[in-house]
Amino acid sequence: MSRQSSTASGASGTAGGQRRATVVDVAKRAGVSTATVSRVMNRNYPVAAATRERVEEAMRALGYVVNAHARALAGVSGRTVGIIVSELIDPFYAYIARGVEREATDGDRLCLVCCTQGDPQRELAFIELMHERRADAVVLVGGSVEDRAYKAELARRARELDAGGSKLVLCGRPSLGDDVPTVGVEYDNEGGAFALTDHLITQGHRRILYLGGPPGLSTARDRLAGHRRALELRGIGRDPRLEQPGAFSRAFGYRRMAELLREAPDFTAVFAANDIVAAGAAQALEEAGVRVPQDMSLVGYDDIPVAQELRPRLTTVRIPLEEMGRQAVRVALNGGDEDDWRAPTTGTLRLGTHIVVRDSVAPPRAGRRQG
C-alpha cells in the first residue's frame, strides 16, 4: 500500500505543481505491464475482467487522460495524416504543410511531417512508415522525377495503402495513371507560367531569360512548357541560350545571374522559376549595378513572403499553397459517418493560379536589343 501511495503521489505532484499521470504510472499502480494498460485503453486484445477493473480503477485514481496524439505516434490509432515534403524550410512546402496540419487538426487527427531532402528512396521509405502507422492519408507534396522504377514502386505503395483503407494524395504532382488508386490536388502550373510570360511580352519584352528549375522535375518542366507556349503563340522564336535550368535555390539564382551579367546579356527580362531563385537573381543584379525594373525586369513564381520583401516588390504567380494542403486532406478523407461534413470531392482537384502585379516589371529601356 505504501508503494502505491508513493507512486500516486509521484504521478500527481512535483515541486512546480501538478503533472499528468503516464501509462507507466497507471501500470505501476495496477500492478500490470504497460502493454496491458494499452490493451485496456484500446480494447484491441482480450483482457481478464479483474485485470481490466484494476487498470480502470488506477486510471481513475490517478486522473489519467488518454493522449490521442501519443497513441497515434505509437501506431495504435489510425487518426493520423502524414505529409512528405522535400524541404522543411522552403516556404512552398511549409505553407502546404500548414494547410495539411490545420485540416488534420480540425478533424482531430495528428499530423506527421517527413522530409526527404529530395531523395526519392527516402520518399518511398516514409510512405512505408506511414502505412505501418496506419495513417488515414499520406500527402506527397511537390514535383516528381521521371523514373519508371520509382513510379512503379510508388504505384505499388499506393495500392497497399488503398487496400488498408488509407489513401495516397498527390499534391502538386502528376497522376500515376488511372489504374492507380490515388487522389490529387494540383494547381495550374503551366497556365501560370504562360500568363506571366505573356505579361512580360505585352510590356514589350521579347528577349526573356528563363532561370532555374531542375530539368528532371515535373514542376520545372510544366513551368518551362508554359513559358515556351507563350513565346510560340506570340510568334517569338525560342532561343536555347535563354533557358538556364538549375536548382530551385537562391544560391543558383545568384551565381548563374552573376555569370550571365559578366557575359554582356542580350535579354531585358528574367523569368525566375520561383521566388527564391528571383531573390538570388535580384542580389546579383543589384551588385552589378543593374536596376530593377529600369534596366531589367524580373518576375518569379509562388508568391511566398520574399516576393513582397524584395525591393522593388516582385511580380509573380500566386499559388494557393495553404488551401492546397487543406484540400489534400479533404479529398483523401471524404465520405464516412465521421467526415460527412466534408465536401464530397473525389479524383483530382485543380486550383487556379493568377499573376500578382507589383513593381518589378517595366517596358524595356530604349536601345536595348529585342531580337
Side-chain angles (χ1 to χ4, degrees):
M1 182 67 184
S2 60
R3 177 181 294 179
Q4 288 188 349
S5 298
S6 172
T7 303
S9 174
S12 60
T14 65
Q18 299 290 313
R19 76 169 176 86
R20 287 184 177 180
T22 68
V23 171
V24 174
D25 298 326
V26 174
K28 286 181 178 179
R29 184 177 181 92
V32 299
S33 68
T34 55
T36 298
V37 175
S38 294
R39 290 167 183 166
V40 171
M41 289 189 299
N42 298 308
R43 301 182 182 276
N44 61 352
Y45 196 87
V47 177
T51 303
R52 180 180 298 280
E53 187 176 332
R54 287 207 316 278
V55 171
E56 290 176 345
E57 187 281 328
M59 292 171 66
R60 288 192 296 270
L62 295 173
Y64 179 78
V65 178
V66 177
N67 187 327
H69 282 192
R71 289 174 63 189
L73 282 169
V76 297
S77 168
R79 299 195 65 80
T80 305
V81 172
I83 175 173
I84 301 174
V85 300
S86 178
E87 178 56 72
L88 288 173
I89 62 173
D90 186 322
F92 176 89
Y93 296 107
Y95 278 97
I96 293 176
R98 184 164 75 175
V100 169
E101 189 278 330
R102 288 182 172 178
E103 189 66 26
T105 299
D106 287 349
D108 194 27
R109 287 177 169 85
L110 175 68
C111 179
L112 298 180
V113 182
C114 304
C115 180
T116 69
Q117 298 294 330
D119 183 351
Q121 294 307 310
R122 283 172 60 88
E123 188 175 271
L124 294 171
F126 282 135
I127 296 173
E128 192 74 24
L129 177 63
M130 292 298 106
H131 182 45
E132 292 173 1
R133 297 289 181 181
R134 295 190 292 172
D136 294 325
V138 180
V139 182
L140 201 52
V141 181
S144 62
V145 295
E146 273 297 326
D147 183 281
R148 292 181 63 183
Y150 158 77
K151 290 180 71 173
E153 280 297 307
L154 192 57
R156 182 176 69 80
R157 283 165 170 76
R159 293 186 178 97
E160 290 176 348
L161 285 169
D162 187 67
S166 182
K167 190 65 69 176
L168 182 65
V169 187
L170 305 177
C171 187
R173 66 165 55 195
S175 167
L176 295 173
D178 294 338
D179 61 331
V180 182
T182 63
V183 291
V185 177
E186 61 182 26
Y187 58 98
D188 191 4
N189 196 16
E190 182 179 338
F194 173 89
L196 192 57
T197 299
D198 200 60
H199 174 67
L200 289 171
I201 295 171
T202 59
Q203 292 296 307
H205 297 278
R206 296 180 64 83
R207 302 287 296 174
I208 303 169
L209 172 70
Y210 187 90
L211 182 67
L217 198 66
S218 59
T219 302
R221 290 197 305 271
D222 289 346
R223 292 181 186 181
L224 183 56
H227 170 69
R228 289 173 175 173
R229 183 162 62 91
L231 293 176
E232 181 181 358
L233 289 180
R234 290 287 187 172
I236 300 174
R238 176 188 164 207
D239 186 345
R241 295 172 299 175
L242 294 179
E243 295 177 3
Q244 298 289 327
F248 274 136
S249 71
R250 184 170 187 144
F252 171 79
Y254 172 79
R255 184 182 69 255
R256 191 69 188 112
M257 177 56 67
E259 292 169 351
L260 292 170
L261 289 174
R262 289 194 291 268
E263 299 171 4
D266 65 348
F267 50 88
T268 62
V270 179
F271 182 157
N274 70 3
D275 295 342
I276 298 295
V277 173
Q283 181 183 350
L285 289 166
E286 181 182 13
E287 291 179 1
V290 179
R291 300 170 300 167
V292 177
Q294 296 93 330
D295 304 322
M296 184 79 67
S297 288
L298 176 66
V299 299
Y301 206 113
D302 293 344
D303 197 28
I304 59 175
V306 71
Q308 295 196 60
E309 294 164 1
L310 289 173
R311 291 295 178 270
R313 298 179 308 153
L314 188 67
T315 292
T316 186
V317 173
R318 177 173 295 165
I319 305 172
L321 296 171
E322 188 169 330
E323 182 61 17
M324 282 180 65
R326 283 188 172 273
Q327 292 292 348
V329 178
R330 289 173 185 166
V331 298
L333 303 179
N334 67 85
D337 55 355
E338 65 182 15
D339 294 316
D340 58 3
W341 56 271
R342 300 181 189 275
T345 310
T346 58
T348 299
L349 175 67
R350 169 173 272 206
L351 303 180
T353 57
H354 64 272
I355 299 176
V356 180
V357 177
R358 295 194 177 101
D359 311 318
S360 63
V361 175
R365 200 179 62 195
R368 292 299 301 273
R369 175 182 170 186
Q370 282 296 292

